[in-house]
Amino acid sequence: MSILEKAIRYSTVYRVSSHILFWLVVFIVPQYQEGTSLRDMLIENTFYLSFYMMASYFVAYIIIPKLLKGDNYIAVILCFIIGSYAISAFSRIMVVHVMEPLIRKPPFEQESILEILTDIRKLVVIYFLQNFSLAWIFGFIKLVKDQYVVKQRTLWLEKEKTKAELATLKAQLNPHFLFNTLNNIYALSLANSPVTSPSIAGLSEILDHVLYRCNGSFVPVSTEIKLLENYIELEKLRYDERLMINFKHTIDEDLDIIPLILLSIVENAFKHGAGEDIGNPVIDIELLLNKGNFHFRVCNTFTAKEHNDSGDKIGLDNIYKQLELVYPGNHEFKTFIHESTFVTLLSITDLRINKT
């Protein structure tokens, strides 16, 4: 975080103290004239500081906001002219009739209030330029700070929106996975299969991971590998030796990835590759994480009937959306058919820099 950002953040959190600090700096800058005592200098600085403050807050909190809102510009200009005249005239009246009697030795001549109000040249050349030169600097600082705050709030809202969208997508994915797995166990129970109890135990372990270990935005790749291994073992219970499953994985370091993406891809391969295949289905899964670059490839055989059926695409739709939210421009996700094999490829460029 830069010094400017730290200063803006401080002025946002500690608004009153930051204003006091700013005007204290202005106050201690001496407007010294030869022969002026410390007492007189402090009195002068106090008066002129009050004039600067009036002009600055008038510009920063009235004129600039009206200009930014796009209100009637003629009305804003008139407001500025009237306000700046009033502040300049008030400043001159206070100097002549309040400050000068405190620091000057009588007798001395004083302008009347009417003379002050009608001496436009002096009000513009001296008081307007003196008061409002600092006012525009103050207004510019406030404008920069406000723009920074708006930008940060926009980024925060976008981040929260992304989190909400990801939570919604996960909420869609989990019931989708549950529905398919419970159907599998239901089929086993109807057949009084001895693997029903192990299936329930395997599902329980998977749900423990999904419900309690995937609450964060990211999880280690190793935990997703373990989840896939448990899921594969659960699915193996449904099939005899006719189903061939190969799962190879190699990682050189355990980086983080968004949860459940890999499970959705593999679950989709089982549903559309093994679920309807009456032959000898094959599912090949390869995972590689090398120097931060992630590659995941799933190949499954399919039938012509399964290929022509649109089916349920919730899983793949979720993958597309989550990847676009979390890894925009830094990933590649595609599916294609090669001969009798449906191939799903996922690549993410450098997981080290994609964690947000």
Side-chain angles (χ1 to χ4, degrees):
M1 183 182 298
S2 66
I3 296 177
L4 177 61
E5 290 178 327
K6 290 181 179 179
I8 292 175
R9 178 165 294 186
Y10 175 86
S11 65
T12 303
V13 177
Y14 304 99
R15 185 176 180 182
V16 175
S17 61
S18 63
H19 281 245
I20 294 174
L21 181 62
F22 176 85
W23 292 116
L24 182 62
V25 171
V26 175
F27 177 79
I28 63 178
V29 175
Q31 299 180 8
Y32 179 74
Q33 296 180 1
E34 188 176 353
T36 303
S37 66
L38 177 61
R39 170 186 172 276
D40 292 346
M41 187 182 70
L42 292 177
I43 292 175
E44 288 185 10
N45 280 10
T46 300
F47 272 86
Y48 285 112
L49 180 68
S50 64
F51 306 151
Y52 297 154
M53 293 176 67
M54 285 188 294
S56 297
Y57 288 116
F58 171 67
V59 169
Y61 288 92
I62 297 178
I63 299 302
I64 291 180
K66 287 182 178 294
L67 290 174
L68 293 177
K69 288 180 181 179
D71 291 344
N72 189 318
Y73 291 117
I74 296 178
V76 176
I77 293 173
L78 288 175
C79 177
F80 175 70
I81 293 174
I82 295 173
S84 58
Y85 169 79
I87 292 173
S88 299
F90 176 78
S91 301
R92 179 60 181 163
I93 292 172
M94 293 297 293
V95 168
V96 172
H97 291 277
V98 179
M99 187 187 78
E100 288 185 351
L102 293 175
I103 62 175
R104 294 180 64 182
K105 295 180 180 180
F108 54 85
E109 295 182 359
Q110 288 180 304
E111 297 174 275
S112 68
I113 293 179
L114 181 60
E115 289 176 322
I116 292 174
L117 295 177
T118 55
D119 192 352
I120 303 299
R121 182 179 179 277
K122 181 177 289 186
L123 293 179
V124 172
V125 174
I126 298 178
Y127 287 89
F128 174 80
L129 294 179
Q130 179 176 271
N131 294 337
F132 283 85
S133 59
L134 180 62
W136 288 111
I137 296 175
F138 181 86
F140 176 76
I141 294 174
K142 181 179 182 299
L143 182 62
V144 171
K145 188 200 78 170
D146 290 346
Q147 292 299 318
Y148 175 82
V149 171
V150 170
K151 181 180 178 181
Q152 292 300 113
R153 178 170 177 78
T154 301
L155 292 176
W156 180 81
L157 290 175
E158 289 179 353
K159 186 175 181 180
E160 291 299 310
K161 179 184 177 183
T162 299
K163 287 182 179 180
E165 289 175 341
L166 288 175
T168 301
L169 295 175
K170 288 179 183 180
Q172 293 174 349
L173 176 61
N174 296 345
H176 177 63
F177 164 71
L178 261 179
F179 177 79
N180 291 331
T181 305
L182 288 174
N183 273 345
N184 296 343
I185 295 177
Y186 176 70
L188 292 173
S189 66
L190 289 179
N192 293 320
S193 172
V195 299
T196 302
S197 294
S199 297
I200 296 174
L203 176 61
S204 176
E205 186 172 350
I206 291 176
L207 289 178
D208 176 70
H209 178 91
V210 172
L211 296 176
Y212 300 108
R213 302 179 189 178
C214 294
N215 292 330
S217 300
F218 296 87
V219 295
V221 172
S222 61
T223 63
E224 291 297 283
I225 291 176
K226 181 62 177 177
L227 175 64
L228 293 181
E229 290 175 339
N230 289 333
Y231 177 79
I232 291 172
E233 290 302 317
L234 179 62
E235 289 287 13
K236 281 182 177 179
L237 297 175
R238 296 181 53 209
Y239 305 97
D240 51 27
E241 297 298 326
R242 70 185 180 89
L243 174 64
M244 295 181 59
I245 305 175
N246 302 306
F247 181 25
K248 299 178 182 179
H249 51 85
T250 304
I251 61 174
D252 59 353
E253 57 180 318
D254 197 7
L255 300 177
D256 289 342
I257 193 172
I258 51 177
L260 305 180
I261 286 287
L262 308 183
L263 175 63
S264 182
I265 295 175
V266 173
E267 190 263 349
N268 186 74
F270 271 96
K271 178 183 178 183
H272 299 293
E276 300 294 335
D277 201 321
I278 60 176
N280 296 307
V282 178
I283 298 178
D284 292 318
I285 306 171
E286 295 181 3
L287 185 152
L288 174 63
L289 177 55
N290 183 36
K291 296 181 180 179
N293 296 312
F294 180 82
H295 302 281
F296 190 62
R297 181 175 181 268
V298 178
C299 303
N300 62 271
T301 54
F302 69 95
T303 63
K305 173 181 179 298
E306 187 65 26
H307 174 52
N308 293 328
D309 184 11
S310 60
D312 185 356
K313 298 181 180 179
I314 292 178
L316 290 179
D317 288 342
N318 276 311
I319 295 172
Y320 280 112
K321 293 177 182 178
Q322 290 195 55
L323 290 173
E324 187 60 32
L325 286 170
V326 181
Y327 305 107
N330 295 315
H331 74 279
E332 181 181 17
F333 180 69
K334 60 182 179 180
T335 60
F336 60 90
I337 297 172
H338 178 67
E339 296 179 351
S340 60
T341 303
F342 186 83
V343 182
T344 303
L345 294 178
L346 169 61
S347 298
I348 304 175
T349 304
D350 202 345
L351 288 179
R352 298 187 189 97
I353 64 174
N354 278 295
K355 184 175 181 180
T356 56

